[in-house]
Each structure stands twice: as structure tokens, then as C-alpha cells.
Amino acid sequence: MAPALDGLRVLETGVLLAGPFCGQLLADFGAEVIKIEQPGVGDPMRQWGRERAGGHSLWWPVVARNKKSVTLNLREPRGQDLVRRLAASSDIMVENFRPGTLERWGLGYEELSAVNPRLVLVRVTGFGQTGPYAGRPGYGSVGEAMGGLRYVVGNPDSPPSRVGISIGDTLAATFACLGALCALHVRERTGRGQVVDSAIYEAVLGVMESLIPEYAVAGYIRERTGAILPNVAPSNVYPTADGRMVIIAANQDTVFRRLAEAMGRPELAADERYATHVARGAHQAELDELIAVWSSGLDAGDLNDLLERHGVPTGHIYRAPEMLSDPHFAAREAIVRLTHPEIGELPMQNVVPKLSETPGRLRWPGPELGAHNEEVLNGLLGLSDDEVAGLVADGIV
């Protein structure tokens, strides 16, 4: 069966990560994503990432997978006109420029919806399309800080830290993708598209759980707590005899009873200090120390096996090597391997989530700059070879 989004056409005009990750999600599930890039330059993501292989970014093949690359100069009227022509037959357009940029190029929603009333315009920015901060440049790091995430990440005796990935950008992109699909559903009833406005700081704020009411109602400000969540115990990283680290999560009453059995100390589950969720939270530090002393006497593998036999959630802290060798990852194809024309075999994370009837799949890694110019400009728009050659000579393509 065809993928879930088969038949949808998406124009991706954004750069770096927030817009392109939204495009990646849509492409993963079968949408035709036409990525518009600056001629001769391309998306900066083509150069990003710490490690390279033969001069090639190892990040670009992931974020641009399943997409078609077309070069168009959006700062030139003829390039803008070609985008409008592409928008006329598209379902979604994704952009993450500063608010007002598309309008200056004659590509605002009024102009685009005039040629295609069914178009959904997805706009991902730091602060959204309205409000006093709308015009500010808004990188993911700023959105993470203002959305509340940075303050609570890290150890309490250190300055605010960051998550080791661009979580603000990808959260905003994920919410943008959700918004796009909601807008498509509404379009089935109304026949019209709309604007999806996804702000990075709001996307981060959206996953901050009860942070706001905790302060507004109870006067409590969440602080950095390292590897734990306050009053959720036991749920921490614990040492082992062979120097590895294991996560044990037994904060539910029934699960803690099973942990106590595994430890050979069933009486702990009846101890008034540990018998309930609230009590364990109040004695979190001493309980963690007790468990750490016990876990330190077992190798990580033996500890993991023992806890699994007792039905206690546990897991090793994985890096890429552990992921690539894990049989569960392999059985569920959580990591798949594509063939890159220059790099060769290229493993990367698979599509999430898995759909039973119309799953997404990876078809190709991020393409070379302008790899689909002929297919889109000649085939889709019907330009002649001479017309395309003229556009190339003038720096439009």
C-alpha cells in the first residue's frame, strides 16, 4: 500500500533545521517534498555537522532524505514567479524565514492563496508571526531558553545546560507538521488552506509539563536537578560493578515492590519511608544511595537480567555503538541503511512512528544540489531546455 502522505506535494523553502525537519517528517511518510535552494549555495545544512565523510556532511543526508532538490533564487522576480507556479499545484509550503521575508518577495499567504486557495502555508520561526518579538531573529537555543527548557537542564550546582541536540528546532518542526496535517483535515471540510504558525519558544513551552501552574498556583519554580525529577523515586542512573551506568525506574508502588524483591530486601516495600510514591519522594536521596550501594555489587548485564526477571523497567545508557549492535533495534528496523553515491552505506534512524498499513519509508538520502531541476522545472512546470538554460545563465536557477 502507498505511504500515508502519498499524493501530497510540499514546497520546502526554509533553511537550516526548523523548517527542513518539518519537511523531513512529511517526506518520511511519502509526501513529495520539493526543496527550494539558493543556486550555487544550497541549504547551509549541507555543510553542518561535526564529522564529514569525503567532504560530505553526515547530517544533510538525514534531514534532506526523500526530498527533491531544486535551485531557485527567491530574491529575483523570475524565481519568485516559479515558486508561485509550483505553489499552484502544491498542498503545503514550509518556510522558516524571519516574518515579513516572504511578503517582501511577493510570496506571502495572500499572494499564494490567490493562486491556490487550498494551500497550507507552514511558518516556523523563533517567536511566531505576531507579537512584539516577532521580528527578532530566533534561533533554537533562544527558544529553548525562553520556553523554559534551558533553566531546568543540568546539575543544580552548574549554569543552565543544553540538551545535546537541536531540540527547540525539532520540537517546533514537529508541532508544525502536526499543524499542517490538522489544516489538511480542515481543508477536506472547507476546501481552503490556512496558515500554520509554529514558534520555537511556544513549542518548547508546550512540553514543559506543569511548570507554569506550579509557580502560578503554588509559588514553586522548577530548578535544575541533574539526573532525577524531584519527588519521583526511585528513577535515576545507578552505578555497576563493571563501571557502566544503568537506568532503573521503579517509582510506581507496585514496581517498587518488585525492585525490593529483586534486591533481596522485600521489607523495603513496607517501610513507611518507601511504601508510597509520596514517601519515596520525600526520602529520594537516601533511597537512591541505598539502591546505588546494591547496584554497585553487580555487573551491568547481570543487573539488567535480574531486574527484567522481576519486571522492573531498566536500561543501559546507549550511544551510537550500542544502538547499532542491539538486537531489538535490528528487529524493529529502528536503524536502516541507505546507499549514498559518495559515502557508500549510510545508516540512519528510521521513520517514526510505525503505521501498520501505510508505513513511511526511506527512499534516498539528501540529494545533490539541484539534482531534480530537470524533473521539476522541465517536467512539472513544462519549461523548455532553452528556458532553463536562460534561467541558469541569469543566476535564477
Short mmCIF file of all heavy atoms in Angstrom, two decimals, residues 207-239:
data_model
loop_
_atom_site.label_atom_id
_atom_site.label_comp_id
_atom_site.label_asym_id
_atom_site.label_seq_id
_atom_site.Cartn_x
_atom_site.Cartn_y
_atom_site.Cartn_z
N VAL A 207 5.90 21.56 25.97
CA VAL A 207 6.27 20.28 26.57
C VAL A 207 6.82 20.44 27.98
O VAL A 207 7.42 19.51 28.53
CB VAL A 207 7.31 19.54 25.69
CG1 VAL A 207 6.74 19.25 24.32
CG2 VAL A 207 8.61 20.32 25.58
N MET A 208 6.60 21.61 28.58
CA MET A 208 7.15 21.87 29.91
C MET A 208 6.25 21.43 31.05
O MET A 208 6.37 21.91 32.18
CB MET A 208 7.51 23.36 30.04
CG MET A 208 8.66 23.81 29.16
SD MET A 208 10.15 22.79 29.33
CE MET A 208 10.60 23.16 31.00
N GLU A 209 5.33 20.53 30.76
CA GLU A 209 4.52 19.87 31.77
C GLU A 209 3.80 20.89 32.66
O GLU A 209 3.14 21.79 32.14
CB GLU A 209 5.40 18.91 32.58
CG GLU A 209 6.07 17.85 31.69
CD GLU A 209 7.07 16.98 32.39
OE1 GLU A 209 7.45 17.29 33.53
OE2 GLU A 209 7.50 15.97 31.78
N SER A 210 3.91 20.78 33.97
CA SER A 210 3.14 21.65 34.87
C SER A 210 3.96 22.82 35.39
O SER A 210 3.64 23.40 36.43
CB SER A 210 2.62 20.83 36.06
OG SER A 210 3.70 20.17 36.72
N LEU A 211 5.00 23.21 34.66
CA LEU A 211 5.89 24.27 35.11
C LEU A 211 5.16 25.57 35.41
O LEU A 211 5.41 26.22 36.43
CB LEU A 211 6.99 24.49 34.07
CG LEU A 211 8.04 25.56 34.34
CD1 LEU A 211 9.40 25.10 33.87
CD2 LEU A 211 7.67 26.87 33.63
N ILE A 212 4.23 25.98 34.55
CA ILE A 212 3.54 27.26 34.73
C ILE A 212 2.59 27.23 35.93
O ILE A 212 2.68 28.09 36.82
CB ILE A 212 2.80 27.67 33.45
CG1 ILE A 212 3.80 27.92 32.30
CG2 ILE A 212 1.94 28.91 33.68
CD1 ILE A 212 4.75 29.07 32.56
N PRO A 213 1.65 26.28 36.01
CA PRO A 213 0.76 26.29 37.18
C PRO A 213 1.48 26.03 38.50
O PRO A 213 1.01 26.47 39.55
CB PRO A 213 -0.27 25.20 36.86
CG PRO A 213 0.34 24.36 35.80
CD PRO A 213 1.24 25.26 35.02
N GLU A 214 2.58 25.30 38.46
CA GLU A 214 3.33 25.09 39.70
C GLU A 214 3.75 26.41 40.33
O GLU A 214 3.72 26.59 41.55
CB GLU A 214 4.56 24.22 39.45
CG GLU A 214 4.25 22.74 39.28
CD GLU A 214 5.46 21.92 38.87
OE1 GLU A 214 6.55 22.53 38.67
OE2 GLU A 214 5.35 20.70 38.74
N TYR A 215 4.15 27.34 39.47
CA TYR A 215 4.53 28.65 40.00
C TYR A 215 3.30 29.53 40.27
O TYR A 215 3.17 30.15 41.33
CB TYR A 215 5.46 29.38 39.04
CG TYR A 215 5.71 30.81 39.46
CD1 TYR A 215 6.49 31.10 40.57
CD2 TYR A 215 5.10 31.87 38.78
CE1 TYR A 215 6.69 32.40 40.99
CE2 TYR A 215 5.29 33.17 39.17
CZ TYR A 215 6.08 33.44 40.28
OH TYR A 215 6.27 34.72 40.71
N ALA A 216 2.38 29.57 39.29
CA ALA A 216 1.24 30.48 39.40
C ALA A 216 0.34 30.15 40.58
O ALA A 216 -0.19 31.04 41.24
CB ALA A 216 0.43 30.46 38.10
N VAL A 217 0.19 28.86 40.88
CA VAL A 217 -0.72 28.44 41.94
C VAL A 217 0.02 28.18 43.25
O VAL A 217 -0.44 28.56 44.33
CB VAL A 217 -1.50 27.18 41.51
CG1 VAL A 217 -2.39 26.68 42.64
CG2 VAL A 217 -2.34 27.48 40.27
N ALA A 218 1.18 27.52 43.14
CA ALA A 218 1.88 27.08 44.35
C ALA A 218 3.15 27.87 44.66
O ALA A 218 3.79 27.63 45.68
CB ALA A 218 2.21 25.59 44.24
N GLY A 219 3.55 28.78 43.75
CA GLY A 219 4.73 29.57 44.01
C GLY A 219 6.04 28.81 43.88
O GLY A 219 7.08 29.26 44.36
N TYR A 220 5.99 27.65 43.20
CA TYR A 220 7.19 26.80 43.08
C TYR A 220 7.85 27.01 41.72
O TYR A 220 7.19 26.96 40.68
CB TYR A 220 6.81 25.33 43.24
CG TYR A 220 7.95 24.37 42.97
CD1 TYR A 220 9.01 24.25 43.86
CD2 TYR A 220 7.96 23.60 41.81
CE1 TYR A 220 10.05 23.37 43.60
CE2 TYR A 220 9.00 22.72 41.54
CZ TYR A 220 10.04 22.62 42.44
OH TYR A 220 11.08 21.76 42.18
N ILE A 221 9.15 27.26 41.70
CA ILE A 221 9.92 27.38 40.48
C ILE A 221 10.79 26.15 40.33
O ILE A 221 11.60 25.84 41.21
CB ILE A 221 10.81 28.65 40.49
CG1 ILE A 221 9.94 29.90 40.52
CG2 ILE A 221 11.72 28.67 39.25
CD1 ILE A 221 10.73 31.20 40.58
N ARG A 222 10.60 25.44 39.24
CA ARG A 222 11.43 24.25 39.00
C ARG A 222 12.89 24.65 38.85
O ARG A 222 13.22 25.64 38.17
CB ARG A 222 10.97 23.52 37.73
CG ARG A 222 9.68 22.77 37.89
CD ARG A 222 9.57 21.72 36.80
NE ARG A 222 8.25 21.10 36.81
CZ ARG A 222 7.92 20.04 36.06
NH1 ARG A 222 8.83 19.51 35.25
NH2 ARG A 222 6.72 19.54 36.11
N GLU A 223 13.76 23.86 39.44
CA GLU A 223 15.19 24.10 39.37
C GLU A 223 15.87 22.93 38.67
O GLU A 223 15.27 21.88 38.43
CB GLU A 223 15.77 24.28 40.78
CG GLU A 223 15.16 25.44 41.56
CD GLU A 223 15.59 26.80 41.03
OE1 GLU A 223 16.58 26.85 40.28
OE2 GLU A 223 14.92 27.80 41.36
N ARG A 224 17.14 23.09 38.37
CA ARG A 224 17.92 22.01 37.79
C ARG A 224 18.13 20.91 38.83
O ARG A 224 18.48 21.19 39.98
CB ARG A 224 19.26 22.54 37.28
CG ARG A 224 19.10 23.46 36.10
CD ARG A 224 20.43 23.98 35.58
NE ARG A 224 21.10 24.87 36.53
CZ ARG A 224 20.72 26.12 36.77
NH1 ARG A 224 19.65 26.62 36.18
NH2 ARG A 224 21.39 26.85 37.64
N THR A 225 17.90 19.68 38.41
CA THR A 225 18.01 18.56 39.35
C THR A 225 18.86 17.42 38.81
O THR A 225 18.81 16.31 39.33
CB THR A 225 16.60 18.04 39.69
OG1 THR A 225 15.91 17.70 38.48
CG2 THR A 225 15.80 19.08 40.45
N GLY A 226 19.64 17.67 37.76
CA GLY A 226 20.52 16.63 37.25
C GLY A 226 19.78 15.46 36.67
O GLY A 226 18.89 15.62 35.84
N ALA A 227 20.11 14.26 37.16
CA ALA A 227 19.58 13.03 36.57
C ALA A 227 18.22 12.63 37.11
O ALA A 227 17.66 11.62 36.68
CB ALA A 227 20.57 11.89 36.79
N ILE A 228 17.68 13.39 38.07
CA ILE A 228 16.41 12.99 38.68
C ILE A 228 15.33 14.02 38.40
O ILE A 228 15.60 15.15 37.99
CB ILE A 228 16.56 12.84 40.21
CG1 ILE A 228 16.85 14.20 40.86
CG2 ILE A 228 17.62 11.81 40.55
CD1 ILE A 228 16.71 14.20 42.36
N LEU A 229 14.08 13.59 38.64
CA LEU A 229 12.95 14.51 38.77
C LEU A 229 12.59 14.53 40.24
O LEU A 229 12.40 13.47 40.86
CB LEU A 229 11.76 14.04 37.94
CG LEU A 229 11.85 14.22 36.43
CD1 LEU A 229 10.61 13.64 35.75
CD2 LEU A 229 12.00 15.70 36.06
N PRO A 230 12.50 15.69 40.85
CA PRO A 230 12.20 15.76 42.28
C PRO A 230 10.91 15.02 42.62
O PRO A 230 9.91 15.12 41.90
CB PRO A 230 12.06 17.27 42.54
CG PRO A 230 12.87 17.91 41.47
CD PRO A 230 12.71 17.03 40.27
N ASN A 231 10.98 14.24 43.70
CA ASN A 231 9.83 13.52 44.26
C ASN A 231 9.36 12.36 43.40
O ASN A 231 8.30 11.79 43.67
CB ASN A 231 8.66 14.47 44.51
CG ASN A 231 9.02 15.60 45.45
OD1 ASN A 231 9.72 15.39 46.45
ND2 ASN A 231 8.59 16.82 45.13
N VAL A 232 10.14 11.99 42.37
CA VAL A 232 9.85 10.81 41.57
C VAL A 232 10.96 9.81 41.83
O VAL A 232 12.08 9.95 41.31
CB VAL A 232 9.75 11.14 40.07
CG1 VAL A 232 9.51 9.88 39.26
CG2 VAL A 232 8.63 12.15 39.83
N ALA A 233 10.69 8.82 42.69
CA ALA A 233 11.76 7.93 43.14
C ALA A 233 11.23 6.51 43.37
O ALA A 233 10.07 6.32 43.75
CB ALA A 233 12.35 8.48 44.44
N PRO A 234 12.13 5.53 43.10
CA PRO A 234 13.46 5.72 42.51
C PRO A 234 13.39 5.77 40.99
O PRO A 234 12.73 4.95 40.36
CB PRO A 234 14.22 4.48 42.98
CG PRO A 234 13.15 3.42 43.09
CD PRO A 234 11.91 4.14 43.52
N SER A 235 14.09 6.71 40.41
CA SER A 235 14.23 6.82 38.96
C SER A 235 15.49 7.61 38.71
O SER A 235 15.48 8.84 38.75
CB SER A 235 13.01 7.51 38.34
OG SER A 235 13.11 7.55 36.94
N ASN A 236 16.58 6.88 38.45
CA ASN A 236 17.88 7.54 38.40
C ASN A 236 18.86 6.68 37.63
O ASN A 236 18.54 5.59 37.16
CB ASN A 236 18.38 7.79 39.83
CG ASN A 236 19.33 8.96 39.94
OD1 ASN A 236 19.93 9.37 38.94
ND2 ASN A 236 19.48 9.51 41.13
N VAL A 237 20.07 7.20 37.53
CA VAL A 237 21.19 6.47 36.93
C VAL A 237 21.98 5.87 38.08
O VAL A 237 22.39 6.58 39.01
CB VAL A 237 22.08 7.41 36.11
CG1 VAL A 237 23.23 6.63 35.48
CG2 VAL A 237 21.26 8.11 35.03
N TYR A 238 22.23 4.57 38.01
CA TYR A 238 22.90 3.88 39.10
C TYR A 238 24.17 3.19 38.61
O TYR A 238 24.22 2.68 37.49
CB TYR A 238 21.96 2.86 39.74
CG TYR A 238 20.72 3.50 40.30
CD1 TYR A 238 19.54 3.56 39.55
CD2 TYR A 238 20.71 4.07 41.56
CE1 TYR A 238 18.39 4.16 40.04
CE2 TYR A 238 19.57 4.68 42.08
CZ TYR A 238 18.41 4.73 41.30
OH TYR A 238 17.29 5.34 41.80
N PRO A 239 25.21 3.14 39.45
CA PRO A 239 26.50 2.54 39.05
C PRO A 239 26.45 1.02 39.13
O PRO A 239 25.60 0.44 39.81
CB PRO A 239 27.47 3.12 40.09
CG PRO A 239 26.63 3.31 41.32
CD PRO A 239 25.27 3.72 40.81
#
